[in-house]
Amino acid sequence: MNTPTDLPLSQLKQYWGYDSFRPLQREAIDCALQKRDSVVVLPTGGGKSLCYQIPALCTDKVAVVVSPLISLMKDQVDSLVANGINAASINSSMSDHDKANVADQIPSGKLQLLYLAPERLVLSTTIRFLQDVGVAFFAIDEAHCISSWGHDFRPEYRQLSSLKENFPQTSVHAFTATATEQVRADIAKQLNLTAPEMLVGSFDRDNLLYRVHRRSDALTQLREVVDRFPKQSGIVYCISRKEVENVSATLNHNGYRSLPYHAGLSSFARSKNQDDFINERTDIVVATVAFGMGIDKSNVRYVVHMGMPKSIEAYQQESGRAGRDGLQSECTLLFSGSDFMVWKKMTDASQPAAKELLEAMYGYCNRSLCRHRMLVEYFGQSLKKKNCGACDVCLGELNTVPEPQIVAQKIISCVHRVDQRFGANHVALVLTGSSVKRILELRHNQLSTYGLLSEHSKTTVVDWIQQLIGQEFLAQTGDYNVLTITPSGRQVLKGEIIPELYQTAPPATKTSSARDDWAGVDDGLFNRLRELRRTTAEEKRIPPFVIFHDASLREMARQRPSTVAAFGTIPGVGERKRGDYGEAFVARIVEYCTESKISMDQTTQRPPVQKTSRPKAKLLNDAKLKAFHFFETNKPLSEVAEQIGRAKSTVTTYLTDYIREQKIVDPTRWLASADVEKIRAAVQQVGNIESISPMKRLLGDDITYDQIRIVVECIRAETS
Ligand code: ADP
Ligand code: ZN
């Protein structure tokens, strides 16, 4: 080690073919090199494995990695070996002969990484053996398994608490993607770590596009997502086994390639289906939550939830299986108020925490705040960006209900009129003016709120009630889920707060996030290279992503290197892979480019997103785009609303986005100057541009909330 500071970096290049470290990787590597205990928390796909694999190459003793599942160990060992690194695991699926072979390579320092299950590591024979030969350090993967606060507690992990006693001089490094503070502290405590360095990365997965849709026609909604990713890998989560079977069968009936996965299948069928997914013999797995642990397939392009998961933790885990390779991927959640009730029934009453988790999840579904923001804030972090550009809310895909305040007030006053003694269904019947027997018997047809929303269907009104529950303006209590009004619900009645209400089924959208991972990539070549990767993987009996990640294949199809030397500069192509696969891949690239007469050896610089073949404008949804066009021409808002077929409140939301983006300071383009003057005076008087309700109170009925919002946005543009 003559230049210790550069060694990790040169190894990153030599073995992995990457040029720079991701956030916190370097710090984590330094902890292992300097033998300081550490807890490293990085999201899925953050690059945790390199944090212990690189330091393992920098010492002459073996590094021991603890991993909970054989499949995880196998993938990691395969990937390391494919990069020319000497790694192995000892596990229960191996013969004694094979185990001895691995053990024989340890004393000489030939084996650089040894993967073990926790129960094997704590055997006294293993401990004695490792004490004799000496261990560089221990890396504990999926370390949250040691904590009973975590979502995947494994009793066998608890035995690791004796590690420090048996190896007092050896540092221990814990790795997890689980973000809660409590679990983090518990990991350090359970492992008896000495003043551990806590390295906590950002939880925002900025390559994932999140959407939440109210479930209407679930299969059509599902197909809309799947059709955006033809022949690519995706996971579909369902709440029940029966639903898994149905959805998978329907997909196959419609020509898709899917396989089911749930705990009711034989273990043979489960592992076969999982294997087919990993090796790309099927595109889609339809599964219950039983599926996922131990899958580190990196090119899952989408995860769809057909129902609401029971906690945000679970959602983060499951949706997080998309886009481990850092490429753009989508997470779509379909939900309805009934999911909440299903989980509530299944939730153990003795576990108040479970109810809280469920409510937080329901809030996530019902609130229209940036999804990225809600997720990171849930885990105690903040998001710097104002507009993430990668969620349905920030992309302006949600369609608001016109006059949400009035609709909400009608609903809440009806709850009040029925003395807070009835459930959502009954309240909706009253509001829609139903004349079913029970309504008449109770004389609820004589209430002042009877029939106030008769132009809407009962389902729509129930859905709005659910949205109000999700935003905590109403609560459901008791065995019969009686609706009650919360303190903030009362503020809605007084006009102090305006809730957000959304149309039940948002229109089909084909938008994508502001990133464009396909820029400059030749699709045809990418598919050819994928096929070559699949057949090579089959021959070698390793998963395709062990050969190359999709990110590397796309870079190949973008740069189209014509020589093995140029091939070696592609990120993800280390020295070993250049030697093993360079010729075959370059031959395929040259063949394809000659055939289709396209140029090779493009610059290594990725074209900036703005200059791509896909115009940026196309990334906005169509309605919003049209609206922006009309705003340019100063068309009155009511006309814009009519032209684009959206409610006026939605158009106002688009307009405020437009004002923000274009930094427009003059609201008189859309409002009368006299009104603007009045609003400006009210803003001055209130003294805080964030407090719209007090302004509205000052201005009275002549001025609408929408008008205030427009002026406020212009004032913001002036001052920003
Ligand atoms: P985690 O275990 O945190 O989920 P992995 O260790 O599996 O993440 O890494 C995720 C992906 O990121 C892998 O494809 C890996 O090769 C890639 N990766 C890791 N570190 C880097 C880096 N410094 N530069 C580029 N890609 C990286
Ligand atoms: Zn967002």
Side-chain angles (χ1 to χ4, degrees), residues 409-424 427 431 449 465 468 474-475 482-485:
Q409 285 175 337
K410 286 178 179 172
I411 294 172
I412 299 173
S413 25
C414 189
V415 173
H416 174 69
R417 293 280 166 232
V418 298
D419 293 330
Q420 309 191 56
R421 284 175 45 218
F422 293 85
V427 171
L431 282 162
T449 51
I465 294 175
L468 294 174
L474 291 174
V482 163
L483 292 177
T484 54
I485 305 170

Side-chain angles (χ1 to χ4, degrees), residues 369-373 383 386-395:
L369 299 171
C370 170
R371 314 282 175 201
H372 282 268
R373 179 179 307 281
L383 194 73
K386 211 171 163 204
N387 182 315
C388 78
C391 79
D392 50 355
V393 178
C394 293
L395 289 168

Side-chain angles (χ1 to χ4, degrees), residues 149-169:
W149 298 106
H151 51 82
D152 193 25
F153 175 57
R154 289 171 178 253
E156 61 275 19
Y157 258 68
R158 269 292 154 83
Q159 300 170 318
L160 295 173
S161 56
S162 60
L163 212 50
K164 273 287 181 185
E165 245 167 70
N166 291 317
F167 299 88
Q169 305 300 327

Side-chain angles (χ1 to χ4, degrees), residues 514-693:
R515 289 177 42 160
D516 191 351
D517 290 338
W518 284 102
V521 176
D522 187 286
D523 286 16
L525 179 55
F526 175 76
N527 286 333
R528 289 262 191 113
L529 295 176
R530 238 184 107 188
E531 188 49 29
L532 176 61
R533 175 179 68 177
R534 205 185 55 77
T535 49
T536 315
E538 218 145 63
E539 275 163 29
K540 300 211 160 209
R541 296 175 172 281
I542 48 178
F545 63 84
V546 165
I547 297 187
F548 289 119
H549 290 297
D550 276 19
S552 300
L553 287 197
R554 283 199 202 171
E555 207 50 46
M556 291 170 203
R558 178 182 287 127
Q559 296 186 26
R560 308 185 280 275
S562 67
T563 61
V564 172
F567 185 79
T569 66
I570 301 280
V573 182
E575 284 176 11
R576 169 60 68 97
K577 286 185 179 170
R578 186 185 64 202
D580 283 352
Y581 306 114
E583 263 179 47
F585 276 72
V586 168
R588 188 62 60 94
I589 292 168
V590 173
E591 176 193 283
Y592 176 89
C593 293
T594 321
E595 239 171 54
S596 19
K597 298 197 174 52
I598 58 168
S599 52
M600 287 179 267
D601 300 308
Q602 298 302 294
T603 82
T604 48
Q605 282 291 313
R606 262 185 78 167
V609 171
Q610 290 86 335
K611 291 189 191 153
T612 61
S613 52
R614 298 178 190 201
K616 194 174 171 217
K618 209 175 157 199
L619 303 171
L620 297 169
N621 81 26
D622 279 346
K624 187 166 175 177
L625 193 65
K626 276 192 212 143
F628 274 27
H629 170 75
F630 289 128
F631 297 149
E632 301 274 353
T633 64
N634 298 355
K635 216 184 217 350
L637 296 190
S638 48
E639 266 184 61
V640 179
E642 208 172 287
Q643 293 273 355
I644 66 167
R646 291 288 188 281
K648 212 171 148 198
S649 53
T650 306
V651 173
T652 308
T653 311
Y654 291 164
L655 178 60
T656 49
D657 287 349
Y658 177 77
I659 292 173
R660 197 175 317 128
E661 278 176 27
Q662 304 290 322
K663 296 197 176 20
I664 290 167
V665 295
D666 177 15
T668 59
R669 285 174 61 180
W670 299 281
L671 306 178
S673 327
D675 289 344
V676 171
E677 281 322 301
K678 277 192 223 158
I679 299 171
R680 278 185 181 277
V683 174
Q684 279 248 307
Q685 205 174 330
V686 171
N688 173 4
I689 60 166
E690 307 301 335
S691 315
I692 298 201
S693 306

Side-chain angles (χ1 to χ4, degrees), residues 12 16 18-22 25 42-50 76 141 296 298 324-326 549:
L12 179 72
W16 282 271
Y18 297 137
D19 289 325
S20 57
F21 285 111
R22 293 223 181 117
Q25 281 183 326
L42 285 174
T44 310
K48 288 183 283 297
S49 22
L50 281 185
Q76 289 227 357
D141 206 2
D296 52 8
S298 65
R324 273 170 170 264
D325 51 14
H549 290 297

